Structures are given as structure tokens and as C-alpha cells.
Amino acid sequence: MSLKGKNAIVTGAASGLGKRIAELFADAGANIVIADLKLDAAQATADAIARKGVKTMAVAMDVTDESAVDRGFDAVQKQLGYVDIAVSNAGIQIVAPIQDFKFSDWKKLLAVHLDGGFLTSRAAVRQMIASKRGGCILFMGSVHSKEASKLKSPYVTAKHGLEGLAKVISKEGAPYGIRTNVICPGFVRTPLVEKQIPEQAQELGISEADVIKTVMLKDTVDGEFTTVDDVAQVALTFAAFPSNALTGQSLVVSHGWFMQ
Ligand code: NAD
């Protein structure tokens, strides 16, 4: 699966899933733009990936900030010419029962996932139309695009919402050769999940081991975590798919936690 000659931007790529996707895309030959909140963290990831022999670039981008997203994509256009692949991946997690959920936390979470998904994909679509090369947009959904869990009202809402956004862009983007898909991972042990284990233990009044066993992996077929590599392989498959037949889809990679 080759991405040779393609330019890919990944948001939230200084850590976790985004970072591994960026590394794997570079292994497949793509030039890589690492977009994240802090320039130094994005730059460190970009520099490490540059050793693979592809062009890299780091941009400081808060995906909830319209001008920051547009400025970041403009910088990419100036330096690399165009974007072929955009992965809207940046995300956060906040857990609490709905009766205690602060409105400010609800808005913060929706802003990162939904405003971020909108602003990132809008900027990508504009460049893909202008370049006349089409492209591939990927959203980082979740099993929570399909299922609900306790304590996650805004996260489940946002991840369901991304599926709708992706379907619209699939239809609107088709005349320009733009395809759009959603990746839906189960639990992966990134910093986002490590932070949640003690938080959920406290909210649910159970041990951290029980959060893993009876909450996170309870419905998997084998009690295993999904890995960053599993998710990055799915992203590469979508990005390298050779035609526009594969669009408007979501693929769950979760050790069978959710089955279509
Ligand atoms: P992570 O915490 O390791 O990485 C998230 C990255 O996003 C960080 O580098 C962070 O700085 C960045 N980020 C946060 N807010 C941002 C903003 N406003 N603008 C730009 N960057 C921002 O987490 P992760 O687990 O790799 O999560 C990546 C994505 O995968 C998220 O959308 C998350 O919801 C999704 N996801 C994760 C899991 C999991 O189990 N880890 C499962 C399903 C989906």
C-alpha cells in the first residue's frame, strides 16, 4: 500500500493514535504534516519522522480555532503545495455522570471533536477542490460512534455526530474525487485512556483492574486492547485504497466489542 508522492496532515499527531498513523503513512512514502496544540511537541514528532526520508512539517494548531486551522492549512499549501490526505484525529476525553457534567466541559469536548472535525475537513476540502487532485479525509470516530457507555455523554454524542459529517462530505466531495471514511477503534492504551482508568474507577467505585476488565474490555471477543498499530493499519488501508468506491463508510477495529 503506497502513499508515495502524497501529502498527509494528521491532527493531534504528537501523541497516541495520530502519531502512529503519521509514522505508518511516512513508511508508505507520504510527506507528513504533524498538527497539534504545541509546536514543540509537533516538531519533535515531525523531526523523528523526517529520519524516514520523507518531507515533514509541524504546525501549531488548536482545531477548535477557525483562524488557527485555516492558517495551518495555508502554511501547508505554501510549503507542500496541496493536501491529499487529512486525518481529523485530535481528541480529548472528560468523564462524569450527566447530572454532574459541567456545561463548560460539554462544550469543550464537542468543540474539539465536532468543531475540530468540521474546521479540519472544511480546510482540507477547500484545498482538495483547488488542487483538482481530490483526496481522502479520515475522521477518528470510536466504538462510541455506534455504542454508548456510561459517563461519556458528550463524547458519545460527538463521535456519533462525526459519522453524519463524514456521510455529508462523501456526497458533497464525490464530484471532486474526495472520499471520506470514519475509523472506529475500541480502547487503545494511549495517554487519553490511561488518564481515564483511575477517573472511571473513582466515578464507578471499582478498582482500576475492574475498569479494564468489566468496563473497557468486557464485550471484546478476547479481552484484548486494540493497539495503535491496529488503528494505523486501518487508516493506511483507507488512505491507500485505489478508487473512490470506498467512501461514506465507518470501520470498527475493536476486537469484536461492536459487531455490525
Ligand atoms: P492522545 O491523548 O494520545 O492524543 C490526542 C492528541 O490530540 C494529543 O497530542 C493532543 O495534544 C491533541 N489535541 C487535543 N486537543 C487538541 C486541539 N484542540 N487541537 C489540536 N490537537 C489537540 O489520545 P488518542 O487516544 O491518540 O486519541 C486520538 C483520537 O482517537 C481521539 O479523537 C480519540 O477520541 C480517538 N479514540 C481513541 C481511542 C482510545 O482508546 N485511545 C478509542 C477510540 C477513539
Side-chain angles (χ1 to χ4, degrees):
M1 282 186 283
S2 174
L3 298 180
K4 215 163 171 37
K6 306 278 188 191
N7 299 324
I9 181 168
V10 186
T11 68
S15 174
L17 291 170
K19 184 176 182 178
R20 188 66 196 120
I21 290 169
E23 290 168 352
L24 198 65
F25 281 11
D27 288 338
N31 301 316
I32 301 294
V33 182
I34 303 290
D36 212 300
L37 283 173
K38 299 230 168 71
L39 187 59
D40 53 351
Q43 191 65 60
T45 305
D47 289 348
I49 290 177
R51 288 185 213 117
K52 294 176 186 287
V54 297
K55 286 187 216 161
T56 65
M57 172 176 179
V59 289
M61 184 188 286
D62 178 345
V63 296
T64 68
D65 177 342
E66 182 177 20
S67 58
V69 174
D70 289 345
R71 247 195 338 267
F73 273 80
D74 285 349
V76 173
Q77 196 166 28
K78 279 200 190 87
Q79 197 159 320
L80 297 177
Y82 42 79
V83 163
D84 297 294
I85 303 159
V87 185
S88 175
N89 164 79
I92 59 168
Q93 180 61 280
I94 305 170
V95 292
I98 191 157
Q99 65 272 26
D100 298 333
F101 229 107
K102 290 192 200 120
F103 188 36
S104 56
D105 283 343
W106 164 271
K107 284 194 279 196
K108 187 170 159 190
L109 198 144
L110 291 191
V112 176
H113 291 271
L114 287 181
D115 296 356
F118 164 70
L119 292 170
T120 304
S121 55
R122 186 183 69 173
V125 164
R126 285 174 174 167
Q127 281 201 15
M128 288 168 183
I129 291 174
S131 73
K132 298 190 166 53
R133 291 166 61 93
C136 165
I137 295 173
L138 296 177
F139 289 100
M140 191 54 70
S142 165
V143 166
H144 289 112
S145 302
K146 314 280 184 187
E147 290 269 7
S149 290
K150 289 177 184 170
L151 309 178
K152 296 190 174 173
S153 47
Y155 189 81
V156 170
T157 304
K159 292 300 191 190
H160 275 66
L162 288 175
E163 291 224 323
L165 178 59
K167 287 177 187 172
V168 174
I169 299 174
S170 292
K171 291 198 171 187
E172 293 187 5
Y176 306 101
I178 297 167
R179 60 205 162 79
T180 312
N181 294 290
V182 185
I183 304 165
C184 298
F187 281 102
V188 183
R189 291 198 85 152
T190 64
L192 179 138
V193 162
E194 295 295 351
K195 179 172 164 286
Q196 262 178 76
I197 297 172
E199 288 172 357
Q200 290 215 33
Q202 192 174 349
E203 286 290 352
L204 298 170
I206 58 177
S207 69
E208 293 188 16
D210 277 345
V211 170
I212 292 173
K213 206 168 153 199
T214 66
V215 178
M216 294 184 163
L217 305 179
K218 175 170 72 78
D219 293 321
T220 61
V221 294
D222 51 11
E224 298 268 345
F225 276 100
T226 301
T227 67
V228 289
D229 275 313
D230 296 327
V231 178
Q233 290 292 348
V234 172
L236 178 59
T237 303
F238 275 127
F241 196 78
S243 81
N244 287 340
L246 190 54
T247 193
Q249 304 305 307
S250 59
L251 187 67
V252 180
V253 49
S254 71
H255 284 263
W257 167 10
F258 176 83
M259 298 191 194
Q260 305 267 15

